[in-house]
């Protein structure tokens, strides 16, 4: 089996895994983030939110892995475009980390709100 065929199969498997991971990650966090009363509901779902964020970050690491596995094949066609694929994968990972930090800070606010009790 040629190297490009092997790389194509690995990239295909990684993309299928990434598709499943993206669905799982967004399913875990979407219901909680869309609730009308986030401050009271997020603290009870902290484990679910943290797991969703970790799955999404792992998926972006998988994106970088896809671009690295595809590098030998794509660099033969266009080395600058292959490099841009890696750069965009890293940028996507960094943006997902920033998004995760923001969601975690909202979760922390919800937990502090739940500990202090609601003002009546």
């Amino acid at each position: 089996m040629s190297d490009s065929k092997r790389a194509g199969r690995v990239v295909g498997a990684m993309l299928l895994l990434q598709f499943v991971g993206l669905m799982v990650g967004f399913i875990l966090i979407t219901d909680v983030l869309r609730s009308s009363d986030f401050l009271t509901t997020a603290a009870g779902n902290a484990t679910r939110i943290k797991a969703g964020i970790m799955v999404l970050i792992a998926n972006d690491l998988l994106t970088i892995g896809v671009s690295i596995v595809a590098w030998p094949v794509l660099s033969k066609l266009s080395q600058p475009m292959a490099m841009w694929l890696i750069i965009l994968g890293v940028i996507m990972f960094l943006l997902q980390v920033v998004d995760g930090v923001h969601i975690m800070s909202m979760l922390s606010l919800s937990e502090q709100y739940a500990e202090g009790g609601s003002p009546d």
Side-chain angles (χ1 to χ4, degrees):
M1 182 179 349
S2 68
D3 289 338
S4 60
K5 194 171 195 176
R6 182 177 297 120
R9 288 182 179 180
V10 171
V11 166
M14 291 171 83
L15 289 175
L16 285 174
L17 182 63
Q18 185 181 30
F19 176 70
V20 171
L22 283 172
M23 284 192 323
V24 169
F26 282 118
I27 287 170
L28 286 173
I29 65 172
T30 299
D31 292 339
V32 179
L33 292 178
R34 285 190 181 176
S35 69
S36 61
D37 195 13
F38 179 81
L39 282 177
T40 57
T41 58
N45 295 310
T47 305
R48 183 177 173 181
I49 293 172
K50 291 175 186 176
I53 290 171
M54 293 307 293
V55 168
L56 291 173
I57 289 174
N59 267 323
D60 286 328
L61 287 174
L62 196 58
T63 301
I64 296 170
V66 165
S67 60
I68 290 171
V69 170
W71 170 265
V73 176
L74 296 177
S75 65
K76 292 176 187 173
L77 302 172
S78 173
Q79 195 165 13
M81 291 303 283
M83 183 60 72
W84 271 109
L85 183 63
I86 293 175
I87 291 169
L88 290 174
V90 170
I91 290 171
M92 188 171 134
F93 169 74
L94 294 174
L95 289 174
Q96 184 63 52
V97 168
V98 169
D99 183 47
V101 167
H102 288 146
I103 293 173
M104 292 300 292
S105 67
M106 291 180 355
L107 177 62
S108 175
L109 176 66
S110 173
E111 289 172 340
Q112 288 177 0
Y113 181 79
E115 285 176 8
S118 60
D120 290 311

